[in-house]
Amino acid sequence: MDQTLKLFSLRGRRALITGSGRGIGLALARGLAGAGASIVINDRNEQKAADVAARLCEEGHDAGFAVFDVTDREQVVSAIERVERDAGAIDILINNAGIQRRAPLESFDEGDWSELLRVNLDGVFQVSQAVARHMLARGRGKIINIGSVQSELARPGIAPYAATKGAIRMLTKGMCAEWARHGIQANAIAPGYFETDLNRALVDDPAFSEWLCKRTPAGRWGRVEELCGAAVFLASAASDFVNGQTLFVDGGLTSVV
């Protein structure tokens, strides 16, 4: 293999992807597995996590699973310790688990606000902290946080979601500031509008889809597999001097007015 291509190989590395039972998380799991990584699928539902891991194994990949809710600190710590003990070191962490809630800001439900913060922000903090403690001891590791174009742009009806994704961008910078000297690279991927269950209401709205395709230079919705190249890059040795950055994969949406 060419030396440059070797930089992108993930052979011998283990990756934990939160919320990887479906959607973007599952696509990223497949992408990293294709680059040679061993995969740890995460979901709150044990049967779903086990089924997805089994499917990846049937496809010729090395995959296991860890069941935990990112908002439950005790579950998180226990599951991470179990993976490290029984499967081996977590070399790559992708914080993908997230939720969306839509409503006008003036009438946004306080419970929905709290739930967004718990999943989209507290969950990233808790899982990253639990995994980073092991990475720090080893002096190496890759953390990839999944942000959004809403890490940079706001839109009516999702201000609280945008607030959580803006916070992810700054938390990523904070991880760099704290952990870069210890051999950890922390970066974020900010997807644009992709056809996922999270965006189903928008995908099914002809008026929104028309607006989005006109607004996006690429002229279309993104496909989840188009996030894999960015993830492999940030998970691999090719990005060893890249830290604290947010890579927008959005068809040019944030580059134009």
Side-chain angles (χ1 to χ4, degrees), residues 38-51:
S38 297
I39 302 300
V40 181
I41 293 294
N42 160 252
D43 197 273
R44 292 178 298 177
N45 183 293
E46 182 171 2
Q47 190 61 57
K48 180 190 289 187
D51 288 348

Side-chain angles (χ1 to χ4, degrees), residues 7 10 23 65 78 89 101 157 171 173 175 186 192 202 224 229 232 236:
L7 288 173
L10 300 180
F65 64 93
S78 177
R101 297 289 182 269
L171 181 58
K173 291 178 181 289
M175 290 177 181
L202 301 180
V224 290
V232 170
S236 71

Side-chain angles (χ1 to χ4, degrees), residues 99 113 116-118 120-121 150-151 159-169:
I99 61 171
W113 165 267
L116 278 167
L117 288 175
R118 284 198 307 273
N120 294 1
L121 190 55
Q150 268 73 52
S151 296
Y161 175 83
T164 66
K165 291 304 183 178
I168 288 299
R169 191 173 186 182

Side-chain angles (χ1 to χ4, degrees), residues 7-228:
L7 288 173
F8 293 88
S9 174
L10 300 180
R11 294 194 182 282
R13 302 293 185 179
R14 179 170 291 98
L16 166 64
I17 303 100
T18 66
S20 47
R22 63 179 183 173
I24 286 176
L26 178 54
L28 294 177
R30 279 203 169 96
L32 267 60
S38 297
I39 302 300
V40 181
I41 293 294
N42 160 252
D43 197 273
R44 292 178 298 177
N45 183 293
E46 182 171 2
Q47 190 61 57
K48 180 190 289 187
D51 288 348
V52 171
R55 201 181 318 149
L56 288 178
C57 290
E58 290 170 1
E59 294 169 6
H61 305 302
D62 179 14
F65 64 93
V67 180
F68 61 87
D69 182 334
V70 298
T71 69
D72 187 318
R73 186 174 187 82
E74 186 175 331
Q75 284 188 29
V76 168
V77 172
S78 177
I80 298 305
E81 294 299 320
R82 189 160 52 249
V83 171
E84 287 272 341
R85 182 187 67 240
D86 297 342
I90 298 170
D91 304 291
I92 302 156
L93 167 64
I94 300 184
N95 285 303
N96 166 76
I99 61 171
Q100 173 66 289
R101 297 289 182 269
R102 295 181 173 89
L105 186 57
E106 67 273 14
S107 58
F108 204 89
D109 182 77
E110 185 178 359
D112 287 342
W113 165 267
S114 297
E115 188 179 17
L116 278 167
L117 288 175
R118 284 198 307 273
V119 177
N120 294 1
L121 190 55
D122 294 354
V124 173
F125 166 73
Q126 291 180 161
V127 178
S128 296
Q129 189 179 65
V131 172
R133 285 170 175 158
H134 294 278
M135 291 179 170
L136 289 167
R138 290 188 286 267
R140 60 179 173 83
K142 301 277 187 175
I143 298 175
I144 303 170
N145 299 320
I146 302 301
S148 167
V149 288
Q150 268 73 52
S151 296
E152 179 72 14
L153 303 174
R155 191 169 62 78
I158 57 168
Y161 175 83
T164 66
K165 291 304 183 178
I168 288 299
R169 191 173 186 182
M170 289 309 301
L171 181 58
T172 301
K173 291 178 181 289
M175 290 177 181
C176 168
E178 297 264 354
W179 296 336
R181 67 179 64 90
H182 301 291
I184 296 174
Q185 291 84 53
N187 294 285
I189 295 173
Y193 284 88
F194 283 73
E195 293 191 52
T196 66
D197 289 342
L198 201 66
N199 282 329
R200 179 51 51 195
L202 301 180
V203 174
D204 292 341
D205 182 342
F208 183 87
S209 284
E210 182 181 4
W211 171 84
L212 176 69
C213 292
K214 289 179 179 178
R215 173 69 175 79
T216 304
R220 61 176 175 82
W221 287 83
R223 297 183 289 270
V224 290
E225 60 269 19
E226 292 175 306
L227 292 166
C228 293

Side-chain angles (χ1 to χ4, degrees), residues 230-248:
V232 170
F233 167 61
L234 293 176
S236 71
S239 62
D240 279 354
F241 205 56
V242 179
N243 219 329
Q245 303 304 305
T246 297
L247 175 55
F248 286 84

